[in-house]
Amino acid sequence: MSYLFKTDINIEYLFFTEMVERLQGKKSKTLFNGREKYQVCCPNCEKRKAVMGYARRKDTFVLACPVDGCGLKGIVLHEVIKRYGGSEMFERWRKARWTSTNSNWMPIKNRKHS
């Protein structure tokens, strides 16, 4: 089965806000890559120093934790959802981002010879 990946910042924004809420985020007065950012609880080290906001290319969102030894120096929203969003959220994420390219395609059946 073939799939077509589609990216749309408006679709991703809904998942971004859901992850911000799950990570107990609070909107910051300062900007992150020129756009809004949220101070969140890091899902890895559990400190409230992590931030979520727009990536530099502004085509997705990122989570970054500045704590030494944390390991989450910057991961994209896809990875955040995959690692920390749970299976239900990841399934919704996949359905929103990937569409099937197969349209009623049926393979050739084996012919029976008389």
Side-chain angles (χ1 to χ4, degrees), residues 9-71:
I9 201 72
N10 296 318
I11 292 171
E12 286 192 20
Y13 188 76
L14 299 172
F15 290 95
F16 167 72
T17 55
E18 186 176 339
M19 279 309 299
V20 164
E21 188 176 306
R22 284 186 185 197
L23 298 174
Q24 303 150 10
K26 293 185 180 174
K27 193 169 186 175
S28 177
K29 293 177 183 174
T30 60
L31 300 177
F32 185 76
N33 291 328
R35 304 289 266 314
E36 66 184 317
K37 80 171 181 181
Y38 291 84
Q39 195 81 33
V40 297
C41 180
C42 178
N44 191 43
C45 70
E46 298 181 356
K47 296 194 172 145
R48 288 209 51 87
K49 296 187 179 198
V51 293
M52 284 189 78
Y54 284 93
R56 283 191 181 120
R57 291 177 32 192
K58 302 201 179 21
D59 58 347
T60 190
F61 299 91
V62 294
L63 168 69
C65 184
V67 175
D68 287 335
C70 176

